[in-house]
Amino acid sequence: MNELNNKEKIFAYPEEIKERFIETKGLDFRDGTHVSSAEIWNFMTLEAPGRFPHAFSMSRYHNSQLSKDVEFFSGIKRGYLSLTLRDRLLKAHNEGTPIIHVQGGQTVDPYFAAGGIPIVPGPLRGWARDMQEGLSLREAGNRVMKILEGGRKAVSIDACNNPIAAIEAIHQEIVPVDLIAPYLCLRCSDIGYAIESYRSGKHKVPVYLLDYPISQDKDWTVKYLAARIHGLIKKIGEIKGSEASDEDLKKEIKLENKGRRLARETVELSWSASTPPMNSVETSSTITLGRFDRGDSLAATQVLEEANHEVRERVKHSVKADGVADDPVRIFSCGSCFGLRGDFLEDKGGIHVGTDDHLSKIYADVDETGDPYENLARSVLSYHYEQPTEIRARWVVELVKQSRADGVICGNNWGCSFQSGISRMIADIVKEETGVPTINLEVAELGQLESVEQTQNRIESFIEMLS
Amino acid sequence: MTTKSDNIPKFAGVDVGSLTTKSVIISNGSIAGYGLIPTGIDTEENGRLALRKALESANLKREDLKYIVATGYGRISAPYANKTVTEITCHARGAYYLHPTTRTIIDMGGQDCKAIRLDKDGNVVDFAMNDKCAAGTGRFLEVMANVFKVKLNDLGSLALRAKEIVPMSSTCTVFAESETVSLLARGEKPENILKGIHHAIANRVSGMFSRVGVESDVFFSGGVAKNIGMRSALEEVLKAKIVAPEYDPQLVGALGAAVLARNYSGKV
Amino acid sequence: MVLETLEKINQAVKERPRELVKAREKGAKVAGWFNYNIPEEIIYALGLIPIRLGTGGDDRLVEIGARYISTKNCVYTRELVGLFARNQDPYIINSDIVAVDATCLQTYRVAEVIKHYFKVNTLILGVPKHFSEPEGQEYFRKELQSFTRKLEVFAGTELNSNKLSESIKLYNDIRKSLKQLYKYQAIEHQPIKWREVFDIVHAGFYLDREKYLSLLQELLTELKEKHGEPVIGNLNGDARILISGSIIPPGDTKLINIIEQVGGRIVGDDLWSGLNPSLDVNIREASIKGIAGAYINRVPHAALPFLDLETDRRLKNLKQLIRDHRAQGVLYHTLRYCDAFSFKAGETKNVLKVEGVPLLEIHTEYAGSDVEAIRTRAEAFVELIRNKNILENEA
């Protein structure tokens, strides 16, 4: 038996942290429920390992492992948000909360404000996978591939696996989604085309698109997008049966601004620290949590608050994150639908310090005064990641300097035509302006269990070159 | 074979494929002989040679043939033929001849793969072929057999011994080869990887079928049809039963060409 | 029967690069453009020389382009980048500004790449995805106004309404003439082949537009004198094929050659490098607003989404063109990674199936490696159509 078979090692949180963990604050959710830290502990140590064994697999070939830095308690809570996503979304849907499939990396304030739950392609695919429980890593991998193949069959093998598998899962009715309402921005070449090509499918899901024009700096573009956001709020209202007011919007904006600020501060603090207080997984997760991708903006903000506090403490006491090398090679990444595997980087003496796509989101606060629709539109249009490439590259240059990156990996996923088209341009500009080495990667691995040796080989060589 | 020169008209089909060249002769509504050779460099000569072999096996001479139809990618260099027809039409004819209730054909040859739909009279009503991708072809399986250091013929039965499927993510043959090497390096069992490969191929092929639709009976032709692992994976992915082969599936195109030769001959 | 005007058009195209050089020496400015929604009426009215840029079918240029963009970009965009990188195409060399609209965003990326690497002076026009919604239309009006202001500065003159009216009339006449030409190529004993008409459309990317119109009118007069009015009546057993799908720019003859070689007859297209830009442009007033309205209300390019199958005007247009040209099958050409068209192939096929029109998708690139495989497909498709004709005649 090799380690991919039944006897693979399973991760477990050590009992000795239990007492301290359950003393920490629990989490509040938007629907009014409160979960104590003791309940979170029980879920993560007793319930989840039985229901979602694949998530705890320590196989070398598991691409999305839980963080092993167990003393970083907010990380355990973030893991809780991930592993309860399935249950929370089903419960919300059954109680009449619209579940809305949205674009990755975009502002989600309007969706939450209107009383819906936005869910981006990656977590949605995970949700679909977890609709079947008890899966081993291998079984989970096969299930994910099966859904993806359905999408490829329905649309095209040229499609990026992220949007195509997500939309396929919705159309197969594996997950109950009430509305598909993504931004049609330059990040993704496929989501708009994919939605269109499913229009004659059997399962009818309402669709509302939000155009995201390339002329971001114009007043008329703001007005155009604001009108679309108005329409979105109305559409969600129709599904839910009650429409959000301007006050609801403002309240949500305030909450999410707080979350974004916390994520930003935490990451910047970590960048400036002489010893890295967060490992790669925690850094990436803090950034993505700042885009509220786990279905609850309130609980996410509370986790971010705790993470912020923990990082401050660690920096104050020069505590280094568990598993990170003393002077790691700091890797920054550029591109969407493409991730670097944290534990692999750390194993090779590197650390992931962030990605421009996700960071873009936490640097886009919404003005809290004035017309909330126009403010939201302005914030969306200010996303660094969606700017003309030369402008985006200049921002990446700033991030590379600020995060003190030693190397930049520009990547894109198979089938992505919009990011692949300018991946080299970003790499060239960043290299020229900062002198930091860059490489370009095309990946085709977004599942949990795919053969990543070729990608890893390139990354490992890159780290060797930098160290 | 005891067919002798007599007054019964004889018709031949020649199918010059990328890996093998086949020829079939029919006479009086039945198969009189066949020839099968590996395809060499000289396309025209390959056709002639296969035809000669078929004639020998039927105990016939070239002059006995009333009409010859050539097909396959080598049909463009077939001056010995009276007419050329694409292998799509030929496979349809051949499959219909062998199994008249055929409505869908999966043809997997050396360098391409086809999905063909027939009406009740054996006319082609729709078809699709793989594009620029070698997955689902004999050539691809040859490459894989090489990676596993097994004979091409044993590939399918080895895959059937698998207890698990190793998922293959690659969308491209070239990458699939290196992915396979990586999976072997991990210590995955060859049969499990092979099953994954057969499933990946079946998935690519089923994408083609989603364009033309699947209706029973499903007929599997071409050299790859001899691979029982492929047959099983296709049945699983297409959720359709494939009819058992009654004749060498590799010869179906040449047989169809011979049947067409008979039809055209009547119209001359 | 040789058409004399055809030779004149070919000659004019050959002379055009030299003409452009001379015109520029005398102070004229050339505005090259690519993508799908740049209104030439405005360029022309400002006294600039409009040239539609872009070629296809050259794998060496594709290779050069791939050094800057990626192999996950379609070959058309890769070749476009390659053209700018090599900088030998006479129209690219002579373009003083390059206007690009954001219809196909993959093509829009090309504008970013050539600006950065080759310092091309680009001018961008935003295009809304919600082309039929009032807010989308308003956005496009504003974009076109802003685009025009910038073009005015470049031209050193302001848009004059008389000039704009003249320009609109010129383009309306060109479009009308091209539509008439398409009728001639579709009649039973074709006095002009589709391929020749397609080349004439491409001549219109380059020639002086007034001269082009006079040549078109001369050709139509010649055709009328020799062959009378075009009436698409009896069919003579040809396998009549309409080409649809991804762009087939000047130079990309791979598929067209194959269809001809296997005995298929092309009788029409709905390509954006063919008939489509001549269809459905109704300019209601000689103003930026009028032009914006006309362009955004055309049958949209495949990059702009239709969410409802029932109201999809692209499919309606395709069906109409099939009827008008009495096509019996559709060859749906898709370039690899041209998702705008590729993703629609399956559904388009199903829609046409209901109408009894078979569709064959050819998914390809410019490299010659799949020529034989395509030939087999195209030939089998022609066999299928002919067989269908025979069966229908027998019935």
Side-chain angles (χ1 to χ4, degrees):
Chain A
M1 285 271 179
N2 65 51
E3 65 171 296
L4 269 168
N5 296 328
N6 299 332
K7 284 181 185 166
E8 67 193 49
K9 269 173 80 183
I10 294 296
F11 173 73
Y13 291 100
E15 275 299 310
E16 56 264 32
I17 62 169
K18 179 178 174 182
E19 218 164 296
R20 280 182 291 127
F21 181 81
I22 63 175
E23 276 170 19
T24 61
K25 273 206 285 190
L27 294 173
D28 296 303
F29 290 83
R30 295 177 62 92
D31 66 359
T33 49
H34 174 84
V35 179
S36 71
S37 287
E39 287 170 302
I40 293 173
W41 178 263
N42 283 344
F43 183 85
M44 293 302 279
T45 55
L46 300 172
E47 188 175 339
R51 293 177 63 197
F52 313 111
H54 61 84
F56 294 82
S57 164
M58 287 174 74
S59 160
R60 282 170 61 194
Y61 308 113
H62 182 192
N63 297 341
S64 44
Q65 302 201 11
L66 291 165
S67 167
K68 306 297 179 304
D69 188 357
V70 295
E71 293 286 343
F72 198 75
F73 287 172
S74 60
I76 302 177
K77 290 177 188 169
R78 187 192 34 76
Y80 174 82
L81 290 184
S82 295
L83 293 177
T84 54
L85 186 65
R86 170 200 183 277
D87 295 353
R88 288 185 289 116
L89 290 175
L90 287 178
K91 178 173 173 250
H93 170 77
N94 290 335
E95 287 170 356
T97 300
I99 309 296
I100 308 160
H101 179 44
V102 304
Q103 178 68 276
Q106 291 300 318
T107 188
V108 289
D109 313 41
Y111 303 96
F112 276 124
I117 297 181
I119 176 149
V120 300
L124 189 136
R125 290 185 300 118
W127 178 24
R129 175 199 61 218
D130 290 343
M131 289 304 287
Q132 194 177 335
E133 297 184 16
L135 299 180
S136 69
L137 183 62
R138 166 66 48 84
E139 290 161 342
N142 274 321
R143 180 170 162 83
V144 166
M145 280 305 286
K146 202 172 161 195
I147 297 170
L148 169 62
E149 288 296 350
R152 287 173 168 171
K153 188 169 150 181
V155 180
S156 167
I157 184 73
D158 287 358
C160 167
N161 27 12
N162 209 17
I164 207 76
I167 295 171
E168 174 69 14
I170 296 169
H171 279 268
Q172 280 189 22
E173 299 183 69
I174 297 172
V175 288
V177 165
D178 304 288
L179 174 68
I180 300 176
Y183 291 90
L184 295 180
C185 42
L186 270 170
R187 99 182 7 255
C188 179
S189 57
D190 288 8
I191 202 159
Y193 298 139
I195 290 166
E196 192 185 26
S197 52
Y198 274 95
R199 67 185 174 174
S200 46
K202 270 184 251 137
H203 181 50
K204 302 283 178 222
V205 186
V207 175
Y208 185 90
L209 302 178
L210 289 104
D211 191 8
Y212 188 121
I214 46 104
S215 48
Q216 294 99 332
D217 55 343
K218 306 290 194 308
D219 276 349
W220 58 84
T221 310
V222 172
K223 292 227 160 35
Y224 174 34
L225 185 55
R228 295 305 296 173
I229 297 174
H230 249 293
L232 172 73
I233 302 286
K234 227 174 137 167
K235 183 91 186 173
I236 300 172
E238 278 166 23
I239 294 169
K240 196 179 160 67
S242 63
E243 197 176 313
S245 66
D246 284 10
E247 284 317 303
D248 294 328
L249 266 177
K250 286 179 180 167
K251 200 175 142 206
E252 182 65 25
I253 288 169
K254 229 178 181 138
L255 173 71
E256 297 198 21
N257 273 346
K258 184 182 172 191
R260 282 183 277 260
R261 179 180 51 78
L262 284 164
R264 211 160 54 222
E265 277 178 16
T266 310
V267 172
E268 286 178 1
L269 189 61
S270 174
W271 285 343
S272 64
S274 48
T275 43
M278 287 195 287
N279 65 19
S280 306
V281 173
E282 298 298 358
T283 304
S284 317
S285 305
T286 300
I287 298 167
T288 53
L289 208 55
R291 63 189 182 105
F292 316 105
D293 64 346
R294 301 289 141 174
D296 201 294
S297 52
L298 178 62
T301 303
Q302 291 181 351
V303 173
L304 285 167
E305 207 157 15
E306 191 173 335
N308 187 280
H309 176 75
E310 286 184 293
V311 167
R312 276 181 199 288
E313 285 300 306
R314 284 190 171 188
V315 171
K316 199 156 83 188
H317 301 106
S318 295
V319 176
K320 191 179 62 147
D322 194 28
V324 178
D326 282 337
D327 187 16
V329 174
R330 301 164 73 91
I331 302 288
F332 189 84
S333 61
C334 279
S336 38
C337 296
F338 139 81
L340 293 175
R341 196 177 144 182
D343 56 326
F344 174 78
L345 287 183
E346 281 155 23
D347 195 37
K348 303 296 170 196
I351 190 169
H352 188 205
V353 292
T355 172
D356 71 334
D357 164 26
H358 295 157
L359 280 163
S360 186
K361 163 95 198 208
I362 61 173
Y363 281 88
D365 281 354
V366 185
D367 196 340
E368 292 178 17
T369 56
D371 177 29
Y373 292 97
E374 291 199 2
N375 290 342
L376 280 166
R378 239 177 238 112
S379 152
V380 172
L381 290 165
S382 74
Y383 270 64
H384 296 283
Y385 190 71
E386 301 289 340
Q387 300 304 307
T389 306
E390 286 178 332
I391 299 175
R392 175 182 152 197
R394 281 204 289 277
W395 184 63
V396 175
V397 166
E398 291 311 309
L399 290 176
V400 167
K401 288 178 185 161
Q402 206 186 347
S403 66
R404 299 182 291 123
D406 301 307
V408 178
I409 298 179
C410 294
N412 59 269
N413 197 36
W414 160 278
C416 177
S417 312
F418 295 174
Q419 291 309 320
S420 63
I422 42 86
S423 192
R424 177 187 154 182
M425 188 166 150
I426 295 268
D428 284 356
I429 296 174
V430 171
K431 193 172 179 176
E432 200 179 299
E433 304 258 319
T434 61
V436 170
T438 58
I439 55 164
N440 256 296
L441 284 183
E442 180 191 286
V443 303
E445 55 238 18
L446 280 171
Q448 268 177 312
L449 181 75
E450 276 138 15
S451 163
V452 292
E453 277 84 348
Q454 292 173 68
T455 304
Q456 291 184 344
N457 200 22
R458 287 163 179 76
I459 295 172
E460 193 173 342
S461 313
F462 190 57
I463 294 173
E464 281 168 7
M465 184 185 97
L466 297 173
S467 46
Chain B
M1 297 279 175
T2 54
T3 317
K4 293 239 168 60
S5 300
D6 49 32
N7 289 331
I8 301 165
K10 318 281 187 301
F11 307 96
V14 180
D15 177 3
V16 188
S18 61
L19 296 181
T20 56
T21 301
K22 289 81 62 174
S23 177
V24 169
I25 294 169
I26 59 167
S27 167
N28 206 12
S30 62
I31 296 158
Y34 75 94
L36 192 156
I37 58 163
T39 298
I41 299 162
D42 187 338
T43 308
E44 186 183 329
E45 191 46 37
N46 289 321
R48 289 189 195 280
L49 187 60
L51 184 61
R52 215 150 47 226
K53 295 249 178 201
L55 285 166
E56 277 167 23
S57 87
N59 203 8
L60 290 171
K61 291 198 281 297
R62 175 68 180 80
E63 309 82 83
D64 297 326
L65 295 175
K66 191 167 173 205
Y67 204 94
I68 303 171
V69 165
T71 188
Y73 94 96
R75 70 184 179 282
I76 51 169
S77 314
Y80 50 83
N82 301 77
K83 191 176 170 66
T84 64
V85 181
T86 62
E87 53 267 39
I88 289 164
T89 305
C90 288
H91 275 275
R93 272 296 139 198
Y96 184 75
Y97 176 89
L98 292 170
H99 193 87
T101 48
T102 300
R103 294 292 174 271
T104 311
I105 301 167
I106 311 163
D107 171 56
M108 288 189 175
Q111 68 177 5
D112 57 38
C113 174
K114 311 171 192 77
I116 309 170
R117 283 292 303 277
L118 309 182
D119 66 13
K120 61 177 177 27
D121 301 313
N123 297 303
V124 177
V125 289
D126 203 356
F127 66 91
M129 272 170 87
N130 62 327
D131 294 281
K132 282 185 80 83
C133 172
T137 68
R139 180 70 75 196
F140 177 62
L141 290 167
E142 255 188 17
V143 169
M144 285 302 158
N146 204 23
V147 173
F148 286 94
K149 309 267 185 277
V150 296
K151 284 196 191 128
L152 184 60
N153 291 344
D154 299 334
L155 219 49
S157 44
L158 191 57
L160 284 187
R161 272 189 256 149
K163 295 218 167 50
E164 284 187 79
I165 301 180
V166 176
M168 296 282 292
S169 58
S170 291
T171 40
C172 167
T173 314
V174 180
F175 293 124
E177 187 185 353
S178 35
E179 186 173 353
T180 302
V181 173
S182 301
L183 292 169
L184 282 169
R186 284 184 185 184
E188 292 284 2
K189 291 204 167 107
E191 59 267 32
N192 293 350
I193 304 176
L194 267 171
K195 186 156 185 189
I197 290 169
H198 282 84
H199 266 259
I201 296 172
N203 278 322
R204 288 292 83 73
V205 174
S206 81
M208 271 176 10
F209 276 95
S210 71
R211 295 290 166 86
V212 302
V214 180
E215 191 189 330
S216 289
D217 295 348
V218 181
F219 189 94
F220 192 7
S221 69
V224 181
K226 294 175 181 176
N227 176 325
I228 50 171
M230 199 63 247
R231 169 186 297 269
S232 149
L234 278 170
E235 286 184 331
E236 220 170 294
V237 171
L238 294 176
K239 296 182 183 72
K241 187 99 189 91
I242 293 170
V243 295
E246 296 145 41
Y247 187 65
D248 186 341
Q250 214 168 351
L251 297 172
V252 174
L255 170 64
V259 173
L260 282 170
R262 187 185 61 190
N263 296 355
Y264 290 128
S265 147
K267 287 176 187 162
V268 172
Chain C
M1 226 180 311
V2 183
L3 291 164
E4 285 155 23
T5 323
L6 265 186
E7 192 37 49
K8 278 193 193 170
I9 294 173
N10 289 339
Q11 197 51 39
V13 172
K14 276 187 203 141
E15 287 163 8
R16 186 58 173 161
R18 227 168 354 141
E19 250 176 51
L20 280 181
V21 174
K22 279 192 189 151
R24 288 177 76 219
E25 280 167 4
K26 286 184 190 152
K29 284 180 177 175
V30 175
W33 70 274
F34 57 82
N35 231 340
Y36 304 98
N37 272 307
I38 297 289
E40 279 201 8
E41 287 87 342
I42 291 173
I43 298 177
Y44 196 81
L46 284 170
L48 301 166
I49 301 173
I51 299 283
R52 189 169 170 192
L53 302 172
T55 58
D58 187 336
D59 219 33
R60 281 167 309 156
L61 286 173
V62 171
E63 291 296 327
I64 297 172
R67 292 176 205 161
Y68 302 91
I69 51 175
S70 122
T71 52
K72 289 295 167 295
N73 293 110
C74 77
V75 278
Y76 171 67
T77 55
R78 272 183 272 162
E79 177 157 340
L80 208 43
V81 174
L83 275 172
F84 281 93
R86 198 171 62 173
N87 204 27
Q88 288 176 2
D89 179 278
Y91 300 108
I92 286 189
I93 296 172
N94 284 303
S95 288
D96 297 292
I97 194 168
V98 174
V100 185
D101 57 281
T103 304
C104 164
L105 290 177
Q106 208 181 145
T107 313
Y108 160 76
R109 286 298 203 200
V110 172
E112 294 197 298
V113 170
I114 59 172
K115 176 173 179 263
H116 176 72
Y117 286 106
F118 317 120
K119 310 299 169 216
V120 175
N121 181 17
T122 54
L123 180 58
I124 307 296
L125 171 68
V127 176
K129 294 277 190 292
H130 306 295
F131 49 87
S132 58
E133 306 288 330
E135 62 265 29
Q137 302 216 331
E138 173 67 11
Y139 168 79
F140 190 61
R141 265 196 296 281
K142 290 275 171 42
E143 274 294 304
L144 194 58
Q145 274 162 6
S146 156
F147 174 86
T148 306
R149 295 288 98 84
K150 287 176 189 156
L151 211 53
E152 284 175 339
V153 172
F154 172 75
T157 178
E158 277 185 23
L159 192 66
N160 162 312
S161 68
N162 285 340
K163 288 244 168 78
L164 187 59
S165 295
E166 284 167 27
S167 173
I168 291 169
K169 181 169 184 323
L170 172 67
Y171 280 93
N172 280 341
D173 288 345
I174 290 174
R175 288 186 279 258
K176 201 173 137 197
S177 305
L178 287 173
K179 281 191 276 193
Q180 184 70 358
L181 262 185
Y182 264 80
K183 284 188 193 156
Y184 273 107
Q185 61 79 35
I187 64 178
E188 188 182 1
H189 301 292
Q190 44 182 164
I192 185 165
K193 284 162 73 178
W194 171 83
R195 185 181 190 137
E196 290 165 326
V197 174
F198 195 53
D199 285 344
I200 291 168
V201 171
H202 296 169
F205 293 1
Y206 311 124
L207 297 182
D208 171 74
R209 302 310 192 249
E210 274 180 55
K211 185 173 178 180
Y212 182 56
L213 176 62
S214 75
L215 284 166
L216 288 177
Q217 285 170 339
E218 195 180 323
L219 179 61
L220 285 170
T221 307
E222 192 185 348
L223 281 164
K224 195 173 168 186
E225 279 167 6
K226 290 179 178 168
H227 305 278
E229 289 291 339
V231 182
I232 309 174
N234 293 334
L235 306 182
N236 54 5
D238 283 337
R240 296 172 68 91
I241 292 169
L242 187 129
I243 301 192
S244 179
S246 304
I247 189 166
I248 301 183
D252 178 11
T253 54
K254 181 166 132 180
L255 186 59
I256 300 167
N257 287 343
I258 293 173
I259 296 170
E260 287 186 350
Q261 284 159 10
V262 301
R265 178 178 159 192
I266 304 172
V267 294
D269 68 73
D270 80 334
L271 299 171
W272 279 89
S273 49
L275 180 60
N276 254 5
S278 293
L279 300 174
D280 212 19
V281 185
N282 303 307
I283 304 172
R284 295 186 200 285
E285 58 173 70
S287 64
I288 297 173
K289 190 180 164 201
I291 290 177
Y295 270 73
I296 207 65
N297 285 314
R298 288 191 293 179
V299 173
H301 182 269
L304 307 179
F306 267 113
L307 293 178
D308 180 22
L309 179 63
E310 300 308 314
T311 57
D312 186 327
R313 284 164 60 212
R314 275 191 293 263
L315 285 171
K316 206 176 149 216
N317 180 51
L318 177 61
K319 285 192 250 179
Q320 188 61 46
L321 291 173
I322 291 169
R323 278 194 292 272
D324 289 350
H325 296 95
R326 311 249 342 231
Q328 297 160 315
V330 170
L331 218 141
Y332 194 78
H333 160 261
T334 56
L335 291 175
R336 218 164 172 211
Y337 306 114
C338 173
D339 299 340
F341 287 98
S342 299
F343 285 19
K344 294 178 181 63
E347 190 191 56
T348 307
K349 180 168 181 162
N350 292 337
V351 167
L352 292 184
K353 200 179 219 166
V354 177
E355 312 271 309
V357 180
L359 176 146
L360 175 71
E361 183 191 358
I362 297 285
H363 195 49
T364 186
E365 299 193 301
Y366 294 156
S369 54
D370 60 354
V371 165
E372 289 312 315
I374 294 176
R375 189 192 309 284
T376 299
R377 258 163 270 195
E379 196 173 339
F381 193 59
V382 168
E383 283 168 6
L384 186 152
I385 294 172
R386 285 212 179 115
N387 195 31
K388 211 168 153 243
N389 284 343
I390 292 166
L391 293 173
E392 275 164 15
N393 284 340
E394 283 170 0

